[in-house]
Structure formats: C-alpha cells, structure tokens
Amino acid sequence: MKILGIESSCDDTAAAVLDDELVLSNVLSSQDEIHTRFGGVVPELASRQHMQSIQPVVMDALARANLNLIDIDLIVATQGPGLIGSLLVGFSFAKALSCVNKIPFVGVDHMAGHILSIFLEDPTPSFPYIATVVSGGTSSIYLAENHTTFKLLGRTRDDAAGEAFDKVAKFLHLPYPGGVHISNAALSGDPDAFKFPRAWLEKGSLDFSFSGLKTSVMNHCNQQIQQDKDLHIQNICASFQEAVVDVLTEKTILAAKKHGINTIVLGGGVSSNQSLREKLKKKCDTENISFFVPRPAYCTDNGAMIALAGSYKFKETGETSLEQDVYSRSQLS
Ligand code: KG4
C-alpha cells in the first residue's frame, strides 16, 4: 500500500510517502526562522505559512518517491492535537485530495504517530511496550497494547518538557526552538553545578510537572543578576537538562515496572536529546529492559509517522468520514 502522510499540527509542514512501512520520501518545511524572533510559535503566522508550504511540500514528497497522486492508496493527515489553524490546513488539504481523487482518507492523532514512529526503524519492538512521548506540546507516558490501542498512564500537569526547554532558552536569550541550544550549551557545563528541583509528585505518580523547575531556573538567574554576578549559562543549561532527564528517566522506568513491561520506546522532539537517550538506555540496560528510540528525524514532527499510524488505523477501522473536524487536545485516553 502506498500511503501519503501529511502533518501540520504546529509549526512544521511535513509530508511523506510510504510503501507499507518503507519510507520512500520524507519532506519537511520548518518555520523556525519565522517564529524565532518572537521566541515561540505565533499561531496565526504558523497557519499562514502552512497555507504557502502545503502544496509544494506534498508535491515534493510525491516527486521524491517517484510517484503521482494516482499511485497513492491512502491519504493520512494529523487530526489533532495541535493548533487548530495549523491542523485545519493539512487536514482540509488532505480531505480535498481524497475527495477529488477518490482516494481513501484517514485522520490520526499526532500522539499515535510518535508512539508508533519506531516502526519506521529496524529492529522494531514487540507489544506491549511503554511509550514516553516528549515534545514541545506534550509529555506523556502510554501503554501501547498494539498498533491502535494506547492507554494513557501519565501526562504533564503544566508545561511539557520541550516547552520548559524552550521557555528557559528564551529566558537565557537562546534562539527558538531552545531545546537543541540548551543541550549544546550543556555539553560544556556541569550537570551538578546547581541542584534544581525534580517534581516527583505523589508517590507512584506517572504524571509530570516542569513549571516549578522552569521557575526555579529563572529565580536562580534573577538572584545572580541582582547580585551583579555573571550567569554561567553552560552550568545552568546542564543542571536544568539533568533535572528534566532525571524525571523523564525515572518515571518511564517506574511505568515499566508498575505494569510489568520490559520494553520502552521513546518518541517526540525532546527524545532527540542525547543526554536523555543515553541515560534512559543505561538505566534500561541495568533493569534488563529493551530500549528503542527512532533516529532524530522521526522523533521531531514528520509526515512518515503520520502515514504509518494512519495505515494501521485504516486496517483496523477503515476510512475517516470527510465530515470530521480537527481537535486541539489529544483524544488518546
Ligand atoms: O515533536 P516536536 O518536533 O514538535 C512538537 O512539539 O510537537 O518537538 C519540538 C520540541 C521543542 O520544544 C524543542 O525545543 C524540543 O522538541 N527539542 C529538544 C531537542 N531537540 C528538539 N529538546 C531538548 N533537547 C534537544 N536536543
């Protein structure tokens, strides 16, 4: 089956073509340059840029796959969660292509894409597994029972991990999106320089909270500034990153132990973070748990994971009605 996947949930316009699970093309048009001067995504600018990029990105994905629309068996688009204006561009474009060309259409949850993106790689995990999805919009832990059944075990109660990275980076005058700039600065910093708080929440909780950590970093910086002291950016970044990585690692392992699962999959933009990948892998090795994480291109938003998640959903439940609308909050419970 040849599948076209379209992703436009936030600030990246992405499209990919798959031949079953084989990626034939994976195209992404980033809006980072547009939003960086505002230090975060401006929803209206994001939707307008999607309008400009969607057609060239989709056509490019088809061309790189050496295919035309008539060769496509299924069109998939992200239905939610995300920015409504952004989602509507990709979702409506996909529905129009489907309607005019009489190609089946499926709308998928963006989180399902992240949970399943590991199936774009080889080797693949076996079910059931714990999937920790950490991005700019979410930090959640799921129990993946099969290709279409996911149980939410925990989620952030305030900022997502990527959001905390981006907000701390903005505070430190680092460019947007800040995660990669913080992790680069952390490379030459001491992770034990400052003891920033870890929010473990109630005993056994699989929920996250990163807003207190973010505030603590800001308070530390403000105190230093008030005392006319220089900020040690590398140490601040390394200590902040260490706190986020500690919590993500511990809670992911706890989820596996609590549910008797011996496979862990990491996904979402923050899983590009080298420190997180290394620490979780090390901890999994000690605990005799198999660990999987896709390459960074499949961690950040991409059309390939959307096409893949859509193909599994199509096999399970068939087409999505063209009357369906987009949604802003994840519907995976
Ligand atoms: O999944 P994604 O591409 O988009 C959504 O948010 O849906 O994730 C983007 C997030 C941003 O917050 C970005 O700062 C973060 O992932 N990120 C990182 C790294 N690379 C990207 N965070 C920490 N370390 C990184 N190396």
Side-chain angles (χ1 to χ4, degrees):
M1 188 159 69
K2 306 277 191 305
I3 315 142
L4 169 66
I6 298 176
E7 153 63 31
S8 71
S9 62
C10 189
D11 58 342
D12 291 318
T13 319
V17 178
L18 264 56
D19 187 352
D20 289 326
E21 280 156 13
L22 180 71
V23 180
L24 300 180
S25 67
N26 191 31
V27 176
L28 182 126
S29 169
S30 164
Q31 301 183 5
D32 288 353
E33 224 173 275
I34 295 170
H35 302 289
T36 193
R37 71 195 124 124
F38 302 103
V41 178
V42 181
E44 166 132 5
L45 293 182
S47 333
R48 287 174 185 269
Q49 189 55 41
H50 282 306
M51 287 293 285
Q52 295 201 1
S53 308
I54 191 81
Q55 182 160 7
V57 165
V58 170
M59 293 308 145
D60 195 17
L62 287 167
R64 283 170 194 253
N66 269 325
L67 294 174
N68 293 307
L69 255 181
I70 46 161
D71 304 313
I72 297 295
D73 304 300
L74 178 68
I75 298 176
V76 186
T78 307
Q79 190 167 1
L83 300 171
I84 291 297
S86 291
L87 286 162
L88 276 172
V89 177
F91 198 69
S92 306
F93 190 85
K95 286 205 285 189
L97 283 185
S98 153
C99 183
V100 171
N101 298 284
K102 304 199 171 17
I103 301 169
F105 166 74
V106 166
V108 293
D109 196 287
H110 184 79
M111 303 308 290
H114 282 307
I115 294 168
L116 297 166
S117 60
I118 194 64
F119 288 94
L120 297 167
E121 301 286 19
D122 186 19
T124 55
S126 38
F127 292 103
Y129 61 79
I130 294 295
T132 294
V133 179
V134 270
S135 69
T138 189
S139 297
S140 303
I141 301 182
Y142 295 93
L143 172 62
E145 291 175 358
N146 55 47
H147 286 115
T148 51
T149 314
F150 318 111
K151 199 168 152 203
L152 181 68
L153 304 179
R155 66 170 152 213
T156 184
R157 294 184 187 173
D158 40 56
D159 289 349
E163 192 179 355
F165 267 96
D166 295 339
K167 286 178 176 170
V168 168
K170 186 178 178 186
F171 190 77
L172 297 174
H173 303 292
L174 296 172
Y176 172 85
V180 69
H181 300 284
I182 291 208
S183 61
N184 285 341
L187 286 174
S188 46
D190 173 8
D192 298 318
F194 308 110
K195 200 76 194 153
F196 292 130
R198 278 84 168 141
W200 301 114
L201 306 173
E202 310 80 46
K203 194 169 168 27
S205 171
L206 296 175
D207 281 352
F208 299 106
S209 166
F210 293 108
S211 112
L213 167 63
K214 172 198 69 188
T215 308
S216 171
V217 174
M218 292 177 180
N219 287 344
H220 165 83
C221 296
N222 284 331
Q223 279 166 10
Q224 295 291 105
I225 293 164
Q226 275 165 9
Q227 293 167 16
D228 271 340
K229 291 186 185 157
D230 287 339
L231 293 181
H232 197 305
I233 302 289
Q234 287 88 347
N235 281 355
I236 294 170
C237 289
S239 302
F240 162 74
Q241 177 177 272
E242 186 77 353
V244 176
V245 168
D246 269 0
V247 173
L248 291 175
T249 303
E250 290 302 321
K251 296 230 172 201
T252 303
I253 297 285
L254 176 64
K257 286 187 172 170
K258 230 176 147 175
H259 293 269
I261 306 288
N262 60 5
T263 305
I264 283 176
V265 171
L266 191 59
V270 180
S271 54
S272 309
N273 185 283
Q274 205 52 36
S275 171
L276 175 61
R277 294 165 90 95
E278 284 167 9
K279 288 223 160 152
L280 192 49
K281 163 94 177 72
K282 203 168 160 201
K283 192 88 186 171
C284 283
D285 288 348
T286 328
E287 301 285 347
N288 234 346
I289 293 172
S290 311
F291 175 65
F292 295 81
V293 60
R295 72 191 74 175
Y298 299 149
C299 288
T300 44
D301 291 350
N302 66 87
M305 68 176 193
I306 297 305
L308 188 68
S311 72
Y312 295 137
K313 186 175 171 188
F314 181 64
K315 283 173 200 153
E316 182 79 15
T317 51
E319 287 184 64
T320 298
S321 158
L322 292 181
E323 285 170 16
Q324 287 234 359
D325 200 355
V326 296
Y327 50 81
S328 61
R329 292 185 168 271
S330 181
Q331 297 196 341
L332 298 188
S333 52

